[in-house]
Structure formats: structure tokens, C-alpha cells
Amino acid sequence: MIASSMLFKRVTRPVLMLATLGALAACASEPHQYAQPTQSSKAVPSEYQAREDDGKEIAAVNPRYLVERNRRQMVPYHGPEAVGTIVVDPFARFLYYITAPGEAERYGVAVGREGKGFAGDATIDRKQQYPSWTPTQNMIKEDPDLYGPLKDGLPGGLDNPLGARALYLYKNGKDTYYRIHGTMDPSSIGRATSAGCIRLFNQDIIDLFSKIPKGTEVKVRNREESLQMEGPVVQLHSGYVVSAYNQIAINADEEAWKAGMIPDPNKVEQEQHQASVQMAEQVGSSGETAKSPDCGYPGTAPCTASN
């Protein structure tokens, strides 16, 4: 699915360039052209205001991304999992942290496209603040133009696609290469992205990271389990999902699409890929690499180095 360095100071401005870099990592999102950081304001809930973290300034979340399904909130929970468990539903795009019998804290997440994820039980055997990242050999082979220039990795920082924190899922003592982490592109939360990791707003991953210990059990639902617990959902043209019974939201989205108010996602993806290749070439030519690269792409060979 991090201290800023001189590498990024040169290549991550303007804001659009920063967002574009988010498409480079396996756990990164496909940033939207309207993704922009914002200063704290009355329109931003307190938990999503700008904050300082380990000497780094985390921008406030733009309120346009804080749709109801994305916001952190306490909700009733009726699943079979024990208190203290994290439950990820990649289809409904929710993450639950069960805090008491019948109660959980719910977070909105961005997820990888179907077929590149993980399902089942795991444990969090590693936690990392401001993790670094490097592409795997499989990624370089699949898209050499994009990942080849970054073969030596990216150092941790707010300009890193893994964001402010990462939780690493293991099964039977082995790394699943599935991560729960932050993001450099808050516009991606609630949407499907390019690969199989689970990402949260940086404010949310910092919150979750502080609450859960190593060894925390994680349940990632499959489609049948999601349907049983959440009911059917529909992906809108905007990229968000809503209940299949929310006809008001579905109709409004369809009208906006027909009116040309929602950009064609295929065209946006193509444009972002082209921009990302150019960005990768700039980053790769700078010569600065991650000291301890962190792979983390589901279903591929692991890196030899780790934080």
C-alpha cells in the first residue's frame, strides 16, 4: 500500500507535482488534479486540522475530502471479532478498530483495485514512523519507465507515498507485503487506487498507530464477508462508494457525470501516469535514495533491506 529531504524540496513544488509522486509507489494512490493541502480552518474538524509531528508539518485535510464515510467516528459494531482487533473491509472501504463489545472506531480508507489485495487473518508485527519505500523487481519489470528510475528507493518523509506511519501485516511469521499506512494524497481516501495496500489520512494513521500495539490481530474481509456485514455497495463516477440503497447519492452522481462535472477516470489515470514517469526521472536523477528501503507490494518478492 518521514523526514523531508533535499531530494523532494527541489521536485515537489508546485502542489500538483507533489500529488503526482503519489502514483509512483505500489501502495500509493492515483492523485487527482484537484488534490491540494489546506490550512486549518473552522471548516476542518479538529481531528483533521494541521499539526506538527516529529518536526514535520502535516497539512489539514481539505474539507471536500471529508465525506461522511471518510471521517473517523465511533459506530456500533456487530461482527464476531474480539475487542482490540482491526477489521479492514476493502469493498466498503472502511477500517474498524474494535474498542469495546459492540463498538468500534471507524476510519475511511483508500484501497487497491480488486485482485491485488490480501484477505484473511494477520497480525501487525512491525510498526514504522515515516517509513521509506522502494519498488520491487516485479514492479520494475511490469513498468520500467515508472519504477526503474526509483530502483534505489525513496527516503521517508511527508513526500513519501507511505505517509506518516505504516503498520506491517504478517501471517504465520511471514510478511504478507500488505500495509496499512498514511498517504501523501488525501484526495485518494475513499477511492480505489493502483495497488493493494490500505491507506488512511495521515491524521488517522497517526491516531491508529498510537492506539494499537505490535501483535494486534487484523481481519481483512473477503467479498462475501463484506456483503454480509455491510450490504452491497455501488462505486460512483466520483470514485467513492455508497450503499446500493442510497438512490439519492447514486442519482446525483449520475447527473453530475452526464453534466461533465466529473472527469473521466481513465483519462486522468493516463495523464497521471505520464506525469509520474517524468517525476520519477527527476527523482531518480537526483541521486538520493532511501537508507533502508521498504518494499511492501502484495504478491511480490521481498526487499533485502528493511527499517
Side-chain angles (χ1 to χ4, degrees):
M1 93 295 281
I2 312 173
S4 296
S5 67
M6 292 302 294
L7 163 64
F8 293 101
K9 290 180 180 178
R10 181 170 62 86
V11 299
T12 55
R13 296 295 183 268
V15 169
L16 177 58
M17 295 180 71
L18 174 68
T20 300
L21 187 59
L24 299 178
C27 292
S29 62
E30 295 161 341
H32 303 274
Q33 59 185 356
Y34 49 82
Q36 296 181 1
T38 183
Q39 299 296 318
S40 292
S41 69
K42 292 182 179 180
V44 180
S46 60
E47 63 267 32
Y48 294 112
Q49 296 277 356
R51 66 177 67 178
E52 184 178 349
D53 179 65
D54 193 28
K56 289 167 278 294
E57 185 68 21
I58 294 178
V61 177
N62 193 314
R64 76 175 65 184
Y65 308 140
L66 295 172
V67 298
E68 192 275 337
R69 291 177 68 96
N70 278 357
R71 288 187 56 174
R72 184 196 327 163
Q73 54 191 286
M74 300 302 300
V75 297
Y77 188 81
H78 305 296
E81 295 82 13
V83 172
T85 303
I86 289 174
V87 178
V88 177
D89 191 318
F91 304 96
R93 299 179 193 167
F94 289 141
L95 181 150
Y96 295 94
Y97 175 53
I98 304 172
T99 57
E103 185 174 79
E105 192 162 21
R106 193 183 76 187
Y107 302 76
V109 300
V111 302
R113 290 200 183 99
E114 184 178 2
K116 291 190 175 181
F118 166 87
D121 300 319
T123 59
I124 293 174
D125 285 1
R126 179 181 164 205
K127 300 170 61 179
Q128 184 67 45
Q129 297 188 38
Y130 292 102
S132 55
W133 171 85
T134 198
T136 65
Q137 291 302 311
N138 281 5
M139 295 168 64
I140 296 171
K141 182 179 180 179
E142 290 175 1
D143 196 339
D145 291 339
L146 182 59
Y147 295 115
L150 303 174
K151 60 183 177 62
D152 293 321
L154 297 175
L158 285 174
D159 297 335
N160 186 294
L162 295 184
R165 303 285 192 276
L167 305 171
Y168 298 72
L169 276 63
Y170 283 68
K171 187 176 181 66
N172 299 324
K174 297 182 178 180
D175 193 349
T176 65
Y177 306 108
Y178 198 67
R179 317 298 188 217
I180 299 170
H181 61 85
T183 183
M184 63 187 295
D185 179 21
S187 74
S188 69
I189 303 303
R191 296 179 165 96
T193 58
S194 59
C197 292
I198 296 293
R199 62 197 59 75
L200 294 79
F201 292 121
N202 278 327
Q203 285 85 342
D204 282 346
I205 191 61
I206 290 172
D207 177 79
L208 181 64
F209 187 98
S210 69
K211 293 174 178 175
I212 62 102
K214 288 177 62 177
T216 294
E217 298 291 328
V218 179
K219 167 68 175 181
V220 182
R221 291 174 177 166
N222 59 33
R223 184 176 291 278
E224 289 184 2
E225 291 166 333
S226 177
L227 285 170
Q228 181 181 4
M229 297 302 301
E230 305 290 341
V233 296
V234 172
Q235 178 166 303
L236 305 177
H237 294 291
S238 64
Y240 291 117
V241 297
V242 297
S243 167
Y245 307 113
N246 188 347
Q247 202 60 49
I248 294 176
I250 294 171
N251 291 343
D253 178 76
E254 185 65 24
E255 291 177 5
W257 173 256
K258 291 179 178 179
M261 299 172 63
I262 300 174
D264 184 335
N266 293 325
K267 183 178 179 180
V268 170
E269 180 176 353
Q270 292 174 1
E271 292 174 348
Q272 289 292 354
H273 183 269
Q274 293 173 357
S276 294
V277 169
Q278 295 177 356
M279 178 65 67
E281 292 173 349
Q282 293 184 51
V283 173
S285 66
S286 70
E288 184 169 342
T289 61
K291 295 181 180 179
S292 299
D294 169 37
C295 280
Y297 184 69
T300 58
C303 292
T304 56
S306 63
N307 284 328

